[in-house]
Amino acid sequence: SMKKDYKEDKQPSKTKFISQVRKHFQRCVDATSENRKFQFDDLKFAAGSPDNGWQWPPDVLAKRMKDPNGARPTLTISKINQHIRLVTNEQRKNKPQGKVLPVDSKSDVEVAEVLNDIIRHIEVASHADIAYDTACESQVTIGEGYWRIVTDYMDERSMDQDIRIDVVKNAFSVYLDPDGLKRDAVGRLCEYGFVTEKMPTAR
């Protein structure tokens, strides 16, 4: 009886798991909320145009529009996108690519070549260049960009799965373990992460 109770205590219930997940997610949100406000401002600034006035401070824009002598000019000549393109065009010329390096000069070289061929096949089949370009543009604009490596069934009847590289269009949908990011800014030491998605409520 004692053995059984001990085993049951050792195995976390679904409720405990969900509670832990919520705590982790809240930790991510709390750690990134301030920075994400600035990132959203950066995104708006990059998309600024004469129509939306996003490159003007709101109070200055409102003051100029409500001037007693009539609305004053509020021109927006955006120069930021040409600088973003300088970086992203360079990335398009030198695309990132997964590469397996052999540990020694014996059989590892052949294994590395086979694995590199598999990686190239996955990238071509996934149209990975779109995922890489999207992540790069997001990284240059707001400081963060992501793509995902996922698996999916080959078809409805098969149990075999394919590996593919997916686009993450919205970098704000990704949350990584903030403590792991403190130890390594690339995210290699993160113990958990979240990719959020809006879903319709059940009717």
Side-chain angles (χ1 to χ4, degrees), residues 122-175:
I122 292 167
E123 287 178 324
V124 170
S126 305
H127 302 290
D129 54 335
I130 298 170
Y132 297 156
D133 292 348
T134 305
C136 178
E137 184 157 354
S138 178
Q139 182 186 23
V140 175
T141 308
I142 66 169
E144 285 182 42
Y146 302 94
W147 65 78
R148 296 179 73 189
I149 300 172
V150 296
T151 58
D152 199 7
Y153 290 105
M154 293 175 74
D155 57 62
E156 289 178 7
R157 294 179 219 168
S158 173
M159 291 303 290
D160 294 329
Q161 295 187 46
D162 274 337
I163 299 170
R164 71 170 195 270
I165 296 168
D166 265 3
V167 178
V168 175
K169 292 180 182 175
N170 179 10
F172 293 115
S173 68
V174 180
Y175 294 86

Side-chain angles (χ1 to χ4, degrees), residues 11 38 88 105 120 127 163 179 187 189:
Q11 294 174 350
F38 294 123
T88 56
S105 59
R120 277 192 289 275
H127 302 290
I163 299 170
D179 298 314
L189 300 178

